[in-house]
Amino acid sequence: MLLHTHVFRSRYIDAEFVCLRCWFRLSTRTIPTARRRFSSCPLKSEAIAVKEPRIQREYFSAYRVGSALNSQPRQERSQEKTGDERARVVSQAASHGVSLKSSPSLPSVPASQSSPTILPLPELPHRRRKRLKAEAVWTPGQEPIIPPDSSSRLTSLSTTLPPTSIRRLLTTCLSLSKPRLSFMIVLTTAAAYSLYPVPALLLPATTSSPSLSTLTLIFLTAGTSLCCASANALNMLLEPEHDAKMSRTRNRPIVRGLIGKKGASVFASIAGAIGIGSLWFGVNPTVAFLGGLNIVLYAGVYTPMKRISVLNTWVGALVGGIPPLMGWAAAAGQSATGNGEWSELLFSEGSIGGWLLAGILYAWQFPHFNALSWSIRDEYKNAGYRMLVWTNPKMNGRVALRYALALFPLCAGLWWWQITDPGFLVTSSIVNVWIAREAWRFWRREGQRGSARGLFWASVWHLPVVMVLAMVHKKGLWQEIWSWLVSKGSDEEDMWITVDEEEEVLDAV
């Protein structure tokens, strides 16, 4: 009798638990076997070497995703096929009187162990860009998305630089100074300096030197930016444990450990000393006093007051209104008729323009900050900051609308007091209507349905546009440009007339 070898090679029958009689019985029956493909033969001598293509199918992301999705159903089908085969062999052995239930060679494997783990596929660059773009799209009803500020971006950049490099130290110090906020403050200071009405005796038409000193402007902008850097660094130095609780401030350099408190205090002290010194010796003592007062108000009053009372917003707005007054006092110091004391520079009849510009900055900060704080009102509450946005949301909208409407008379005051021409009254009103409309929607909808986002971006664009428009519409600016062009043309005509007269004289001779 010929024994079938597939009986002995069966993985479902153990030779130690099957007797010789059962072997003979099983060998007389033919068990159908599945035909195996020639290319899948386990013997190397019988396999045909197949040349791999240069580009595998796994190279394409669509194939990998499809194979990952189809791997689980295929595995389930293979497990079902294996289970059917085992049941068929067991039933066939039972018909011959062989029991395979207690065989130790058939251990039960849990389904969780038998199924392979599917690892997540790496995200391709173009799919990542598409996903980030889709996430950045704002939909109605969603909370407004506040973009990361320049300080947060510089902190992220510092973490990628070598720890002992000078570039990392400079980037960290620049992050402490909040460069975007400092630039906005310097812009308002320079705008106020350029808007100062120059007396007739100091006009370029009557003097051979410029009307206002360029060197004074350099000292003014440099000193103001250093004072801002000192105040911002002290602000971060005094509340790192509270900044770590908010998504807007948790990426600051002191919170991330890029610089210690001692290093931050040294940077703030040096920046403040150089800034005040530049304003004192390069501009005048009144401007230097205002720069030092701004540091004290921001770091010494506004910062600790945020955890005490909602009036901290009004103190912060007062800090933002001082830089335009500094620029106006710097320009007034060059044309002062008296000793140039603080009373003459700040409280004389010609200082009304500086106070109007300070009022515009003061009023602008309420719609800007109230809209900015709306999306993170819960974080302010959890961090312990007393902000109007969560203590009294309705009043938060009313205050934003109230000060947005106050921008109309403040801008009109620049035209009334002959600081700008009538064109500024028209152009500034258009921009003020925009921010007032957004503030009204913010108050009416209580920050919902995208009104906070609309007011925030309107305030971001409002301030630089108004400052640029004020400089473009400065009183007498276009008359001076026109007279200069006309005088230049007349000088050329006089020159040609003189040449013609000389030629006539030569011809006569």
Side-chain angles (χ1 to χ4, degrees):
M1 183 181 292
L2 182 62
L3 297 179
H4 295 280
T5 57
H6 67 272
V7 178
F8 301 98
R9 292 199 305 265
S10 178
R11 55 176 177 173
Y12 301 106
I13 301 176
D14 195 347
E16 297 179 358
F17 293 89
V18 180
C19 63
L20 184 60
R21 182 182 298 177
C22 294
W23 275 353
F24 281 106
R25 290 181 180 178
L26 291 176
S27 62
T28 58
R29 298 180 61 86
T30 302
I31 301 178
T33 57
R35 180 174 297 179
R36 184 183 302 172
R37 293 183 180 180
F38 179 76
S39 59
S40 62
C41 182
L43 299 179
K44 295 183 179 180
S45 60
E46 301 177 1
I48 299 177
V50 180
K51 185 178 180 180
E52 295 290 337
R54 293 184 178 180
I55 300 179
Q56 300 291 337
R57 290 182 298 177
E58 290 78 3
Y59 174 80
F60 301 97
S61 60
Y63 178 80
R64 295 202 305 267
V65 173
S67 60
L69 294 176
N70 296 330
S71 60
Q72 185 66 22
R74 290 178 181 176
Q75 181 183 359
E76 293 177 356
R77 290 195 297 268
S78 62
Q79 291 179 357
E80 292 176 359
K81 183 178 180 180
T82 305
D84 296 342
E85 183 180 356
R86 176 177 176 176
R88 180 173 54 81
V89 173
V90 171
S91 61
Q92 188 176 10
S95 63
H96 291 79
V98 180
S99 178
L100 302 179
K101 296 181 179 180
S102 61
S103 176
S105 61
L106 299 173
S108 61
V109 181
S112 60
Q113 297 181 5
S114 61
S115 60
T117 304
I118 301 176
L119 298 177
L121 298 174
E123 188 177 15
L124 296 179
H126 70 282
R127 295 184 182 274
R128 182 174 63 253
R129 291 192 297 268
K130 185 177 180 180
R131 177 179 56 81
L132 295 176
K133 185 178 180 180
E135 292 176 356
V137 175
W138 178 81
T139 56
Q142 182 183 359
E143 292 292 346
I145 301 174
I146 299 178
D149 55 4
S150 57
S151 179
S152 178
R153 294 179 179 177
L154 289 172
T155 302
S156 301
L157 177 61
S158 300
T159 56
T160 61
L161 300 176
T164 58
S165 62
I166 301 297
R167 185 182 176 186
R168 177 169 181 170
L169 178 61
L170 295 178
T171 306
T172 303
C173 293
L174 187 61
S175 177
L176 284 172
S177 63
K178 297 181 183 178
R180 185 181 298 177
L181 177 62
S182 300
F183 174 76
M184 189 69 69
I185 294 175
V186 171
L187 174 64
T188 58
T189 306
Y193 181 84
S194 63
L195 284 173
Y196 183 81
V198 181
L201 294 176
L202 296 180
L203 290 175
T206 58
T207 61
S208 58
S209 60
S211 57
L212 291 176
S213 173
T214 306
L215 184 62
T216 303
L217 178 61
I218 294 175
F219 275 105
L220 174 64
T221 54
T224 303
S225 61
L226 289 174
C227 289
C228 293
S230 176
N232 292 325
L234 290 174
N235 174 260
M236 296 184 187
L237 180 65
L238 295 176
E239 49 184 15
E241 62 278 1
H242 306 298
D243 288 342
K245 301 176 183 178
M246 300 181 60
S247 59
R248 181 170 171 261
T249 57
R250 66 181 53 166
N251 199 33
R252 288 180 174 177
I254 300 180
V255 180
R256 294 287 300 274
L258 298 177
I259 189 172
K261 291 186 176 181
K262 183 178 180 181
S265 61
V266 170
F267 169 76
S269 302
I270 294 176
I274 297 177
I276 295 175
S278 300
L279 296 176
W280 183 282
F281 296 102
V283 187
N284 56 61
T286 302
V287 178
F289 171 77
L290 292 176
L293 178 63
N294 225 8
I295 297 176
V296 174
L297 286 177
Y298 189 75
V301 180
Y302 168 72
T303 300
M305 196 174 181
K306 289 193 296 183
R307 304 182 60 83
I308 300 175
S309 174
V310 295
L311 296 178
N312 65 84
T313 307
W314 279 262
V315 177
L318 183 63
V319 173
I322 292 179
L325 202 59
M326 294 171 58
W328 193 272
Q334 301 183 48
S335 59
T337 57
N339 297 329
E341 297 180 353
W342 62 272
S343 57
E344 181 182 1
L345 300 181
L346 297 179
F347 298 103
S348 63
E349 184 179 355
S351 62
I352 185 64
W355 288 102
L356 287 173
L357 291 173
I360 292 175
L361 265 294
Y362 179 83
W364 170 84
Q365 292 180 77
F366 288 95
H368 175 72
F369 180 76
N370 290 9
L372 171 67
S373 60
W374 173 258
S375 61
I376 53 176
R377 57 192 181 278
D378 294 332
E379 296 185 6
Y380 274 120
K381 183 177 181 180
N382 297 332
Y385 291 127
R386 302 284 300 177
M387 297 298 173
L388 198 63
V389 67
W390 67 268
T391 57
N392 195 341
K394 293 185 178 180
M395 184 178 179
N396 184 68
R398 290 198 303 269
V399 169
L401 178 60
R402 183 185 308 151
Y403 283 96
L405 295 176
L407 293 171
F408 285 93
L410 290 172
C411 291
L414 293 177
W415 161 74
W416 180 262
W417 291 96
Q418 303 297 314
I419 308 299
T420 59
D421 57 24
F424 177 74
L425 182 62
V426 178
T427 55
S428 65
S429 297
I430 298 175
V431 185
N432 291 334
V433 166
W434 178 29
I435 192 172
R437 174 180 175 273
E438 297 297 334
W440 180 82
R441 292 176 64 247
F442 178 73
W443 164 72
R444 185 70 178 271
R445 300 179 180 179
E446 298 183 357
Q448 303 294 336
R449 293 186 290 176
S451 57
R453 177 186 175 89
L455 180 58
F456 171 74
W457 286 111
S459 62
V460 168
W461 286 101
H462 176 273
L463 182 62
V465 170
V466 167
M467 291 292 106
V468 171
L469 288 176
M471 290 186 289
V472 170
H473 292 284
K474 181 181 179 180
K475 183 69 175 180
L477 176 63
W478 294 103
Q479 288 82 354
E480 293 177 6
I481 294 176
W482 176 254
S483 61
W484 177 78
L485 293 175
V486 172
S487 62
K488 185 178 180 180
S490 62
D491 292 341
E492 292 179 355
E493 293 178 358
D494 294 341
M495 182 182 65
W496 286 107
I497 292 174
T498 305
V499 172
D500 293 340
E501 292 177 354
E502 292 178 356
E503 291 179 354
E504 291 178 359
V505 172
L506 292 176
D507 293 340
V509 174

